[in-house]
Amino acid sequence: MTCKHEVKECKCSNIPLERKGKGPVDIFFITEFPGKNEMKEKKFLSGAHSKFFREILRVLVEKTGFTYAISSVTRCLSKPGTLIHYSPAVRACLPNLEAEIAKCEPKMLVFMGDLPYSVFSKNNKLPKHGPRVEDGRLQSMMVFGKKYPVMYCQHTTWYQHNESCAVGFLYENIRKAIDFVKHGINPNIPNKFNSVTLHSVKEVRK
C-alpha cells in the first residue's frame, strides 16, 4: 500500500506487508518506521540490526510452524524526532496498517519498540514501568476498535546494541507469544507478593 499524504518531513518507502503462512496469522509484528536499509531492501526489520531477529523467526517457524506478518506504524523515513504518536506521518499511514491487520486476522500483536506501543496505548503513553520491565509482558489493548492480546518488545536495535545475551530475551519473548496463541499458556507471573524498597545494607541484613 502507498501512503496517500504529503508530509514534507517524510519520504514514503512503500514497503509491502510481509506475510508468512495462509489464513489468520498467529502473530502480527508491528515495528516503528523503516530505516535506510529497510527502504532499500523494501522489507521491514531487515539489515544488520535485524539479522538475529530473522534467524529467530526461521528457527521458531521450523520448530513450531507458527505464522506471522510484519508491518510498521509508518512507512515513512522521517527526520529524527519527528515521529511521535500524533505526528502527521504516523496518522496518515495508520489506515494502511489497519487494513493489513484486518486482512491478516492475527491472534496476537507484538509491538517492536516504543512508537507502536505509544500509538495504541491508553492516553498514548509508554509502558507504565518502563520498557525493560514491560518487555515480554502480555496484556490486552484496543487496536483499531478491537481488543487484542499484545506483547511489548524492545526494537531489534536495542537487543543488538546490548550484551549478546539480550538477543536471548527476544527469542524467549517470541517463543512465549507462540505458546500463548497455540497452547493458551499465559507467560505473566501473578504478583501476589508485598514489595518493599531497601535503601541500605543495614536494611538488607534485617
Side-chain angles (χ1 to χ4, degrees):
M1 292 184 177
T2 302
C3 300
K4 297 180 180 179
H5 62 93
E6 292 292 336
V7 183
K8 63 182 180 180
E9 295 90 352
C10 306
K11 181 180 179 182
C12 187
S13 61
N14 299 328
I15 299 176
L17 169 72
E18 179 181 348
R19 185 172 183 174
K20 178 77 173 181
K22 298 179 180 179
V25 299
D26 293 320
I27 299 174
F28 195 113
F29 295 94
I30 304 175
T31 185
E32 298 180 320
F33 56 91
K36 292 182 179 179
N37 289 333
E38 292 170 306
M39 292 186 75
K40 183 179 179 180
E41 297 182 26
K42 296 293 183 183
K43 192 174 186 179
F44 292 115
L45 296 176
S46 58
H49 288 121
S50 297
K51 285 183 178 179
F52 68 91
F53 171 74
R54 292 291 171 174
E55 181 62 13
I56 289 172
L57 292 185
R58 185 192 67 79
V59 170
L60 289 175
V61 166
E62 287 185 358
K63 285 185 175 181
T64 68
F66 92 103
T67 59
Y68 65 85
I70 303 175
S71 191
S72 179
V73 168
T74 176
R75 286 167 164 74
C76 296
L77 179 66
S78 301
K79 293 180 180 179
T82 61
L83 280 181
I84 46 182
H85 63 83
Y86 55 80
S87 67
V90 170
R91 293 302 167 189
C93 291
L94 284 179
N96 289 341
L97 179 61
E98 181 177 11
E100 290 171 343
I101 291 176
K103 179 180 179 181
C104 292
E105 302 178 284
K107 300 173 184 175
M108 180 177 182
L109 306 178
V110 172
F111 296 151
M112 303 293 292
D114 290 345
L115 184 60
Y117 189 100
S118 65
V119 167
F120 296 109
S121 66
K122 188 176 181 180
N123 300 322
N124 300 119
K125 292 184 177 180
L126 292 175
K128 180 179 179 181
H129 301 294
R132 294 187 182 183
V133 175
E134 297 286 343
D135 187 68
R137 188 172 73 86
L138 182 68
Q139 54 190 298
S140 62
M141 193 175 292
M142 293 296 294
V143 177
F144 298 123
K146 183 177 179 180
K147 184 176 285 188
Y148 289 94
V150 167
M151 180 179 285
Y152 169 86
C153 292
Q154 309 271 8
H155 191 269
T156 55
T157 52
W158 183 89
Y159 299 100
Q160 178 75 12
H161 291 159
N162 281 272
E163 297 179 2
S164 58
C165 62
V167 173
F169 298 153
L170 181 58
Y171 177 93
E172 280 299 298
N173 288 344
I174 299 175
R175 184 193 60 77
K176 288 187 293 185
I178 296 169
D179 279 345
F180 176 76
V181 297
K182 284 189 168 292
H183 309 294
I185 301 174
N186 192 321
N188 293 348
I189 300 174
N191 183 6
K192 298 180 180 179
F193 306 96
N194 293 321
S195 301
V196 295
T197 302
L198 303 178
H199 300 280
S200 66
V201 174
K202 185 177 180 180
E203 290 181 354
V204 173
R205 287 173 178 171
K206 287 182 181 181

